[in-house]
Amino acid sequence: MPVEKVNNSSDLDTKVPSCLQLTSIGQLTLTSDPSHRCVKDIVLLANFTISKSPTFLRDKLHPCQLEMDNKDACVYVCPSAIPGPSSSEAKYVYVPLNKLKSKTLVNVYGVVTFFKQPFPSKGSDYCTTLKITDQSDVKVICTIFCKKLEDHPLIFRVGDIIRLHRFKAEAFRDSITLINTFGWSTVTFNGIIDSPIVPRTSSKSFFYGEADKRRVQELRQWAANQSLCSDLNTSLSSVQPHMYFDFTCQLLAKAVMHSGCILLKVWDGTRCQLPLLQVAVPPDELEGECTLAKDKMNLTANVLVYDNHLEVARDLKPGAFLRFYNLRALLQKVPGQLPDQPEHLGFHLHGGTVYGRGLRSLPAETPDLLSLKSVLEKHVDLDEHEEVNDGTLLEIWYTPPESIVLPNDENPGAEENAGPAYTVQTCEHNTQRITLAQVKRSTPPLSCHVRARVKKYLPQQLYQCLKLFCSKCKTMKDVPDDSAVANIFLESARDNQPCDEQWAATSSANSREPGRTISMHVSKDMVGKSSHMQLIFIEGMTLDEISVLSRDHKNLVPVRSENSKMTRMDLTAPFLFSGKKRYYGCKQCSRNTFENPVFTGVETWDEQAVAAVLGVQMMQYRFLIQFELDDVTDTIEALLWEDAERFFHISAVDASGCQDLQDRIQTIMDTIQPPESSLEERPWMDFCLSVYTVKDNDRNKVCYQITNTEIVKQ
């Protein structure tokens, strides 16, 4: 029998028999009954990696999964002698969207009704989101995660038809969603009736036959009857102010304006009815052809691209055909413009993916470009080599991007950022709100008011925002993780012998572990007092044990024995356990040892009193978060730490031992930056900013800190 070797998951379409496509390990059974046996294809998986299943808790399937992530991994398929389906039969079983069941692996066809270009996920993958439908009229959301941009589906417009292989159906909020699994593949087709049926895919090998052509034709006809393929593209001649529109065009030239903005000079051969904003750049910084002749004829659209779209824009080459999705048209003023002069129309592709916002290049052979190419050919005689001189430049508006007047520059409270903010300022500064661009141009020191959105924040794992700060030496460090602390306790407890101190009353007991003795020491002055009034020294316990004991005792001090004398544990570990709270000391500023501690004269044992007796410089819990703020005019990175407790209305030390308070902070951050949201969907926030300088390698560095600002209590 022939043996097929599959080295790449993309080859599964062509080399793995169809009878294996919908078979899962959970469906395989072993039986001794000969009547239940049948000869099937034999599959050998070689050099696969076994790892934990990330979806086990959700789908309750097997806790492990096999991953084909090794270059030597492969699948050997030995077909059985039983005749398979003929080449004229469909190779795959496709499930209608209204028949999808949760926790099943399926193949489906659908018409795209919505999609987003690939965008970076919170992990290392890019994510594509789309919504599809079929003749059942059920709409299903599909999510695709993949590291390589080129492996994502090639969707050009609403109405395209897509084929999905090996996608997992899962229940989510009373509906079924599809997500890609190992070995997944996609193929897309143009959804326009009578256009050539040409598959689009990055896979080097895929199955495609007459049955697929029939399905594409059926879906095309059905989608046309349902008006699903309506053309959302708008020509430059039809654009009106404040529109959001799709725009198919050709790239003439490009220039990097600054690290957060790229200019794309494009055209579609039609003339705009309104004056166009011309963002000119020095010729030596422009990549591509000179566009002066087209500029004077109002044929060139200058598109400013920002944020997450910059990665795509950087890779574009002049002459490429592009499609913008959800592009914004704005009327804008230029420097020195007289009141009676008309404003100029500019185009902006802001950050985020809301409403499918994005851009992509289109292959030159795409049928969608036929009409565009015919229009462009009418302008081939334009003289693009006209001499550039001062007189020529005066005929167009020379407008560098930083001088473009946006709504936020003139009136920061106008238009889209009007309305209530999610924060309030508690300072007494009587200053007018300014833009972030103005903040960057200001001279420190300065306190100012701004209104902005949070573009992103760090750390993304909020437990990492809790820090330890020494007010004496100004050291700030991360809270040690439990594994490191647990190792310190284990090392201290191993072969431990109780210490002997004259001032302490000691009780000891053997633990279940051989060689480990647990001891508790209490000052003789405290014997007989309530346990809540005692300071108890613990020796020989593990971290888990002392954590359990601290639930019922307020002040537990972990210690170890050295030459039969009591000494502190390494200050990487907490020096005090008080209920669910742990307190840490500064290694640099604390005394090395403590001898003959004095326990008299202390009415209440709190963390400050304990630290004083032990000679420990106590570290304070602090929140530290870095926000990247955006108000359209610019972005800045600002720290929140000195006033962070006021900002959240939560004490850092209380949050260190309370999961409910940590969850409350997470809820606040999810409101400031909702998961998977675009910048435009996030709330506006009023901040009081302090602008100051610090020394960094003998140079002054300008820093920004959020102060005197609080979250509005709901």
Side-chain angles (χ1 to χ4, degrees):
M1 292 183 291
V3 175
E4 292 283 0
K5 182 179 179 181
V6 181
N7 291 96
N8 192 290
S9 61
S10 63
D11 294 336
L12 290 173
D13 273 356
T14 56
K15 294 185 178 180
V16 175
S18 58
C19 60
L20 300 178
Q21 299 302 321
L22 299 178
T23 301
S24 66
I25 293 176
Q27 294 172 320
L28 299 179
T29 59
L30 296 176
T31 177
S32 59
D33 187 349
S35 65
H36 290 170
R37 296 178 184 173
C38 63
V39 180
K40 293 285 187 179
D41 296 312
I42 299 173
V43 178
L44 173 63
L45 309 181
N47 295 310
F48 274 59
T49 301
I50 300 176
S51 65
K52 291 184 178 180
S53 170
T55 60
F56 170 63
L57 295 178
R58 186 166 66 250
D59 56 30
K60 304 301 181 185
L61 299 177
H62 200 281
C64 295
Q65 66 181 15
L66 296 174
E67 295 182 353
M68 193 177 181
D69 59 356
N70 188 308
K71 66 179 182 179
D72 297 324
C74 60
V75 180
Y76 294 94
V77 182
C78 184
S80 70
I82 298 177
S86 65
S87 59
S88 61
E89 295 177 302
K91 186 178 180 182
Y92 291 89
V93 176
Y94 294 95
V95 182
L97 297 183
N98 63 339
K99 301 294 184 181
L100 295 177
K101 295 182 179 180
S102 180
K103 302 178 184 178
T104 59
L105 201 63
V106 297
N107 307 313
V108 299
Y109 260 97
V111 180
V112 177
T113 61
F114 172 80
F115 68 98
K116 291 183 178 182
Q117 295 297 327
F119 57 90
S121 67
K122 291 186 176 180
S124 58
D125 292 340
Y126 286 93
C127 176
T128 291
T129 301
L130 60 144
K131 187 181 292 185
I132 62 174
T133 187
D134 64 3
Q135 292 93 331
S136 66
D137 210 27
V138 171
K139 291 182 173 62
V140 175
I141 294 175
C142 308
T143 306
I144 299 172
F145 292 96
C146 184
K147 293 183 183 296
K148 295 181 179 179
L149 277 172
E150 58 269 23
D151 289 341
H152 283 257
L154 302 174
I155 304 172
F156 295 162
R157 57 185 290 169
V158 168
D160 278 354
I161 294 168
I162 190 167
R163 186 185 79 179
L164 308 175
H165 279 183
R166 289 176 291 278
F167 273 64
K168 187 175 183 180
E170 293 191 356
F172 180 73
R173 294 181 180 174
D174 301 324
S175 63
I176 294 292
T177 63
L178 293 172
I179 187 169
N180 60 316
T181 61
F182 184 77
W184 65 278
S185 68
T186 65
V187 181
T188 54
F189 305 87
N190 193 307
I192 301 175
I193 291 181
D194 296 332
S195 64
I197 301 179
V198 179
R200 302 195 297 254
T201 180
S202 61
S203 176
K204 295 180 180 178
S205 58
F206 61 94
F207 179 81
Y208 166 67
E210 291 299 323
D212 294 275
K213 292 183 180 180
R214 289 195 297 271
R215 286 186 177 275
V216 171
Q217 290 170 343
E218 291 170 1
L219 282 171
R220 281 180 173 182
Q221 187 60 55
W222 176 80
N225 294 337
Q226 302 295 316
S227 300
L228 295 179
C229 298
S230 56
D231 191 1
L232 302 177
N233 192 70
T234 300
S235 66
L236 188 60
S237 60
S238 303
V239 173
Q240 296 297 319
H242 309 296
M243 279 182 63
Y244 288 90
F245 63 101
D246 294 353
F247 184 42
T248 304
C249 53
Q250 184 181 35
L251 178 63
L252 298 172
K254 58 183 283 191
V256 176
M257 311 311 294
H258 54 73
S259 61
C261 177
I262 291 179
L263 169 68
L264 301 180
K265 299 175 78 69
V266 299
W267 74 320
D268 70 348
T270 66
R271 192 189 311 273
C272 187
Q273 303 304 310
L274 297 169
L276 288 173
L277 186 73
Q278 300 298 334
V279 184
V281 294
D284 58 340
E285 296 182 12
L286 190 69
E287 179 185 350
E289 65 182 66
C290 176
T291 63
L292 285 177
K294 295 185 179 70
D295 293 343
K296 289 190 293 183
M297 296 178 64
N298 227 30
L299 294 172
T300 309
N302 289 269
V303 182
L304 294 171
V305 178
Y306 305 94
D307 302 329
N308 55 293
H309 309 297
L310 294 176
E311 184 176 355
V312 176
R314 289 190 188 100
D315 294 336
L316 297 175
K317 299 298 181 183
F321 293 98
L322 314 179
R323 178 165 288 162
F324 293 90
Y325 303 94
N326 199 238
L327 183 64
R328 188 183 187 189
L330 276 177
L331 284 177
Q332 299 175 211
K333 295 180 179 179
V334 294
Q337 181 173 324
L338 299 176
D340 58 343
Q341 289 181 321
E343 295 180 317
H344 290 65
L345 196 62
F347 302 95
H348 298 262
L349 190 70
H350 291 295
T353 58
V354 63
Y355 302 116
R357 180 178 303 144
L359 80 157
R360 71 163 304 127
S361 61
L362 299 177
E365 64 275 9
T366 302
D368 291 12
L369 297 176
L370 293 177
S371 59
L372 173 64
K373 290 179 179 178
S374 64
V375 175
L376 296 183
E377 288 173 357
K378 298 177 182 179
H379 299 283
V380 294
D381 295 330
L382 282 176
D383 182 12
E384 294 299 356
H385 303 287
E386 180 176 340
E387 183 182 357
V388 181
N389 52 45
D390 292 345
T392 305
L393 289 175
L394 287 174
E395 295 179 14
I396 63 171
W397 293 97
Y398 185 92
T399 312
E402 60 270 17
S403 64
I404 294 175
V405 182
L406 295 174
N408 283 6
D409 287 325
E410 284 192 324
N411 183 3
E415 294 190 8
E416 61 184 48
N417 64 346
Y422 191 62
T423 52
V424 294
Q425 296 147 337
T426 59
C427 59
E428 298 180 355
H429 304 138
N430 187 20
T431 61
Q432 183 179 1
R433 186 194 306 160
I434 61 176
T435 67
L436 295 183
Q438 292 170 322
V439 172
K440 278 193 169 182
R441 293 194 295 265
S442 63
T443 302
L446 174 72
S447 292
C448 57
H449 291 170
V450 300
R451 172 169 283 200
R453 290 183 171 111
V454 173
K455 187 175 180 180
K456 67 179 179 181
Y457 64 85
L458 294 173
Q460 283 289 306
Q461 302 296 328
L462 279 178
Y463 69 87
Q464 296 175 343
C465 78
L466 202 61
K467 306 292 183 182
L468 295 173
F469 176 72
C470 177
S471 58
K472 188 173 182 180
C473 65
K474 308 304 180 184
T475 297
M476 183 173 286
K477 68 174 188 177
D478 292 328
V479 179
D481 60 71
D482 275 2
S483 61
V485 175
N487 286 334
I488 293 174
F489 274 84
L490 285 175
E491 289 295 327
S492 176
R494 188 173 292 122
D495 298 324
N496 181 72
Q497 296 299 321
C499 56
D500 183 17
E501 294 287 354
Q502 296 298 320
W503 52 266
T506 302
S507 61
S508 301
N510 292 326
S511 71
R512 295 179 180 178
E513 299 177 19
R516 184 162 68 92
T517 302
I518 296 176
S519 302
M520 301 179 67
H521 311 274
V522 179
S523 169
K524 293 177 180 178
D525 296 331
M526 298 182 184
V527 174
K529 293 184 179 181
S530 167
S531 62
H532 291 284
M533 298 295 296
Q534 293 177 338
L535 187 60
I536 303 175
F537 295 84
I538 303 295
E539 182 183 0
M541 278 192 177
T542 64
L543 176 61
D544 290 340
E545 290 169 343
I546 196 171
S547 297
V548 172
L549 187 63
S550 68
R551 297 173 186 171
D552 300 318
H553 295 81
K554 184 178 180 183
N555 294 316
L556 300 181
V557 178
V559 294
R560 60 186 179 88
S561 176
E562 189 175 294
N563 299 324
S564 299
K565 289 293 184 179
M566 184 185 298
T567 185
R568 286 194 315 258
M569 303 258 305
D570 187 307
L571 284 179
T572 302
F575 74 87
L576 175 66
F577 288 78
S578 182
K580 292 184 178 181
K581 298 176 184 177
R582 303 176 184 180
Y583 295 93
Y584 292 82
C586 176
K587 288 186 177 183
Q588 184 173 332
C589 301
S590 301
R591 294 204 307 264
N592 292 331
T593 60
F594 70 97
E595 298 178 359
N596 302 320
V598 178
F599 300 102
T600 57
V602 179
E603 296 182 2
T604 303
W605 285 104
D606 58 15
E607 61 274 11
Q608 299 286 353
V610 175
V613 167
L614 301 181
V616 172
Q617 173 63 41
M618 190 172 68
M619 302 193 79
Q620 304 166 359
Y621 281 97
R622 292 286 185 90
F623 294 119
L624 176 63
I625 302 178
Q626 178 180 283
F627 289 105
E628 184 175 353
L629 306 179
D630 187 300
D631 73 345
V632 179
T633 68
D634 212 327
T635 62
I636 64 169
E637 293 179 348
L639 292 177
L640 172 67
W641 76 288
E642 288 184 339
D643 285 354
E645 293 185 341
R646 176 189 295 183
F647 183 86
F648 290 114
H649 303 287
I650 294 174
S651 162
V653 65
D654 290 342
S656 69
C658 180
Q659 186 61 48
D660 288 343
L661 293 180
Q662 295 174 21
D663 291 343
R664 190 189 303 175
I665 294 174
Q666 183 66 63
T667 300
I668 291 172
M669 299 307 293
D670 286 345
T671 305
I672 292 173
Q673 183 184 328
E676 306 299 334
S677 66
S678 68
L679 186 64
E680 288 75 10
E681 295 172 310
R682 297 170 192 168
W684 287 99
M685 304 176 69
D686 289 329
F687 296 101
C688 180
L689 282 186
S690 290
V691 187
Y692 56 97
T693 58
V694 296
K695 284 288 185 182
D696 184 19
N697 294 328
D698 297 326
R699 298 179 62 183
N700 286 331
K701 178 182 178 182
V702 179
C703 297
Y704 307 93
Q705 187 179 160
I706 298 171
T707 60
N708 299 299
T709 305
E710 298 178 8
I711 291 291
V712 176
K713 292 184 178 181
Q714 302 297 316

